[in-house]
Amino acid sequence: MAQDPVYNGQAKRMEEMPVHPNLIDVTGWKQSTIPIAQELRNNLNRIADSSKKNSTKKNSLLKNYVSVTQKEATKRLRLRKLKESGADMSKFIMTGKLEDAPLMPTHNRLAKEPSQKYRVYTHSGKWEMNEKEGCLMWSDTGSTVFDSPGDIVTVVNPAGYNFASPTVSRGENLGYSVFDVTKTRMRRSSSSGAM
């Protein structure tokens, strides 16, 4: 009766799960995920050792491999010989070379297509008869030329994203078609050439 857990105040639902007999004397599982300094040091040393082994293995397969320290040593030896020969070191200090290198190509290596953006001018006013001036003119800009550019400037980018609709072109979304703008341009150029 004294060894009965229920009698001692421990109900079955509060009882701890029995440990497997093979795990009784084994070191307990470490619950922390933060490594201590010694573990970090051991891990870094292990990574460095494996990196050195892999580097030596890879470098032995490469032909004519020169390590960084060997490159620096040959560079310093070359510099020392140049100084002893009495060469002009000002150009060498600036460029790292004694002779003039050929110029870089002047063409644009990163060329891209020219921009397709253009401006469209519209009037916010009306083309009407002005009694004070005695002629037809635009009410917004005061211009007496019917085909004059208006006061509202809209930049149209045919290649730009259209978030309004996937099927409608950018110009149609703004209330005019791209073809209408080209016709207007052609009309303006033909009328200005006729004058």
Side-chain angles (χ1 to χ4, degrees):
M1 189 71 124
Q3 292 181 356
D4 185 13
V6 178
Y7 182 75
N8 290 331
Q10 294 178 347
K12 279 287 186 189
R13 62 173 182 234
M14 301 294 293
E15 192 175 51
E16 193 172 305
M17 186 174 174
V19 178
H20 193 275
N22 296 346
L23 299 176
I24 289 175
D25 294 328
V26 176
T27 309
W29 183 264
K30 194 177 91 172
Q31 299 293 328
S32 174
T33 57
I34 301 171
I36 57 176
Q38 182 65 32
E39 291 173 341
L40 280 173
R41 198 174 303 112
N42 292 342
N43 194 23
L44 290 174
N45 290 338
R46 183 180 51 78
I47 292 171
D49 290 340
S50 64
S51 298
K52 282 180 188 175
K53 285 178 188 173
N54 290 337
S55 295
T56 51
K57 190 194 310 180
K58 188 71 173 176
N59 295 343
S60 64
L61 298 175
L62 296 174
K63 295 178 182 176
N64 302 327
Y65 175 74
V66 182
S67 68
V68 178
T69 53
Q70 291 170 340
K71 282 181 187 175
E72 188 62 28
T74 54
K75 182 180 168 187
R76 288 175 185 258
L77 182 66
R78 180 173 167 246
L79 184 61
R80 191 175 298 119
K81 286 181 181 176
L82 283 171
K83 286 182 179 178
E84 289 172 356
S85 69
D88 182 23
M89 297 303 295
S90 59
K91 189 182 291 183
F92 183 81
I93 291 169
M94 295 300 287
T95 61
K97 298 170 188 166
L98 285 175
E99 62 280 347
D100 286 331
L103 294 173
M104 288 289 289
T106 54
H107 66 276
N108 185 4
R109 296 176 295 115
L110 306 173
K112 60 180 184 178
E113 295 178 7
S115 175
Q116 298 177 353
K117 292 181 182 179
Y118 58 89
R119 291 186 178 97
V120 176
Y121 299 88
T122 54
H123 286 278
S124 61
K126 287 195 222 175
W127 176 255
E128 60 187 3
M129 182 66 158
N130 189 335
E131 286 137 12
K132 290 185 180 177
E133 297 290 329
C135 61
L136 289 169
M137 62 190 310
W138 285 104
S139 63
D140 53 355
T141 57
S143 173
T144 57
V145 181
F146 181 76
D147 289 332
S148 66
D151 58 339
I152 299 174
V153 182
T154 309
V155 178
V156 179
N157 184 7
Y161 289 115
N162 181 6
F163 296 111
S165 171
T167 57
V168 178
S169 73
R170 182 116 175 120
E172 291 171 3
N173 186 31
L174 294 174
Y176 50 84
S177 172
V178 177
F179 302 106
D180 294 342
V181 174
T182 358
K183 287 177 191 172
T184 309
R185 282 187 188 165
M186 290 171 63
R187 242 187 288 133
R188 284 186 187 163
S189 61
S190 63
S191 62
S192 62
M195 290 179 187

